[in-house]
Amino acid sequence: MTLTTTPFGMRATAAEVLDGVDLSGRRMIVTGGSSGLGVETVRALAGAGAQVTVATRNPADAEPLVKEFPGTRAVALDLADLASVRAFCDAWSGPVDGLVANAGVMMLPTREVNAQGWEMQLAINYLGHFALAVGLRTALQAAEKPRVAVVSSGAQLRAGFDFDDPQFERRPYDPFVAYAQSKTADVLLAVGISRRWAEHGIAANACAPGWIHTNLTRHLDAATMRAFGAMDADGNLLTPDYYKTPAQGAATTVLLAASPLLDGVTGRYFEDNQESEVVDGGPDVMAGVAKWSIDPAAADRLWDLALTAVS
């Protein structure tokens, strides 16, 4: 299989990726669009003319974006609460040209579960987005070239999906393993959508934004941040060479969501604005997409598991 390439490198910004792209009349949804990478994703899409709905737990946080871009609005959405997801979908009217599954939580220090008993990182990062996509399927089909862009992470290289104990009910809870599993699930979401909905014209791809200072890392302790090379001994944030700015981190997301360079591309995984090679996952692998993250059998099995949870 030939990998999809683009002229954009890892330092390209979201605005640069969409330079010259006209999204006028396109309706996009960005979850978690009121902070971090989400803000830069919204800015790039709205700056190219899209009508963007910021789906966030606290719509008031998105007021600066709403004022900056008159075609932008903020709507309440709590991905941990499936009733909130259903309410969002029920209230939606008209087509959805792009759904950006951007919101997420990382390395919760203790095991938490949602009302369905799903471990919270898996519930927010994956299950809520699954329910949102399924709930908006008709709206996606109504668009001309609909896309789903799922923000995953390089952490998917560290753990496959444990179908025997996905909620850490028997194995000891590990914050990073739980996060890695949820990010593998995110790639499997894109694969699952592609396998089922491509015939209806819906494309879905996943990406890793890279290393960026955002509030996603708020649950990381100082020792972990120092191990990443992102904090000094006095607690001051450092920016190693491999880190990106939020605008650079959002570039691959908007590439998947709106760039004509990816017309007809679906079920793939991208990082640094390029499609990634398929690799064996493991503790020493630094790039690529793990075989377990794009395994069609795992994607089908996870889809069935999630469908039971949201039904």
Side-chain angles (χ1 to χ4, degrees):
M1 182 182 70
T2 302
L3 298 179
T4 302
T5 61
T6 81
F8 302 108
M10 71 171 290
R11 296 299 176 193
T13 65
E16 289 169 346
V17 167
L18 294 184
D19 184 33
V21 177
D22 184 5
L23 300 179
S24 299
R26 302 282 298 277
R27 304 178 73 204
M28 319 286 283
I29 298 169
V30 179
T31 67
S34 61
S35 65
L37 296 180
V39 169
E40 297 304 326
T41 301
V42 172
R43 282 203 177 106
L45 294 171
Q51 299 174 25
V52 183
T53 295
V54 181
T56 176
R57 284 183 300 169
N58 301 303
D61 293 343
E63 281 306 310
L65 281 172
V66 173
K67 292 178 180 178
E68 185 177 355
F69 300 100
T72 298
R73 65 177 186 142
V75 178
L77 175 67
D78 183 352
L79 289 164
D81 181 358
L82 294 183
S84 174
V85 177
R86 283 192 294 271
F88 182 95
C89 294
D90 289 344
W92 186 269
S93 178
V96 174
D97 295 278
L99 172 59
V100 180
N102 165 80
V105 64
M106 178 181 181
M107 289 181 65
L108 292 174
T110 59
R111 179 180 179 270
E112 302 176 34
V113 297
N114 72 348
Q116 286 70 40
W118 281 52
E119 187 275 319
M120 196 60 76
Q121 293 183 86
L122 189 59
I124 292 173
N125 298 347
Y126 168 77
L127 185 64
H129 283 126
F130 171 87
L132 186 63
V134 170
L136 293 172
R137 176 181 173 177
T138 301
L140 285 162
Q141 284 184 217
E144 185 177 351
K145 292 181 179 180
R147 295 187 185 181
V148 179
V150 184
V151 179
S152 178
S153 163
Q156 52 82 26
L157 291 163
R158 300 293 181 261
F161 194 89
D162 188 336
F163 286 98
D164 293 328
D165 188 20
Q167 315 308 340
F168 293 84
E169 294 169 306
R170 294 182 296 279
R171 54 180 169 153
Y173 173 73
D174 183 303
F176 183 73
V177 173
Y179 177 67
Q181 175 182 248
S182 76
K183 293 287 113 176
T184 290
D186 279 340
V187 186
L188 292 171
L189 173 59
V191 173
I193 291 173
S194 180
R195 286 173 59 76
R196 285 162 178 77
W197 300 350
E199 63 181 312
H200 302 292
I202 301 172
N205 295 286
C207 69
W211 298 79
I212 307 108
H213 283 303
T214 70
N215 63 2
L216 182 67
T217 60
R218 63 188 179 276
H219 296 295
L220 302 186
D221 58 27
T224 301
M225 291 293 285
R226 286 195 294 269
F228 289 162
M231 181 176 287
D232 66 19
D234 297 321
N236 301 306
L237 289 180
L238 303 174
T239 305
D241 290 341
Y242 59 87
Y243 264 61
K244 300 179 183 180
T245 66
Q248 293 168 341
T252 310
T253 303
V254 301
L255 177 80
L256 270 54
S259 172
L261 295 174
L262 264 61
D263 282 350
V265 177
T266 188
R268 312 289 182 86
Y269 176 90
F270 289 73
E271 53 194 338
D272 296 337
N273 298 301
Q274 311 294 330
E275 185 180 351
S276 302
E277 293 185 0
V278 180
V279 299
D280 291 322
D284 300 319
V285 184
M286 300 306 295
V289 59
K291 291 177 181 177
W292 57 55
S293 295
I294 58 166
D295 177 22
D300 290 346
R301 188 177 178 185
L302 181 56
W303 188 282
D304 291 339
L305 181 66
L307 200 57
T308 299
V310 304
S311 298

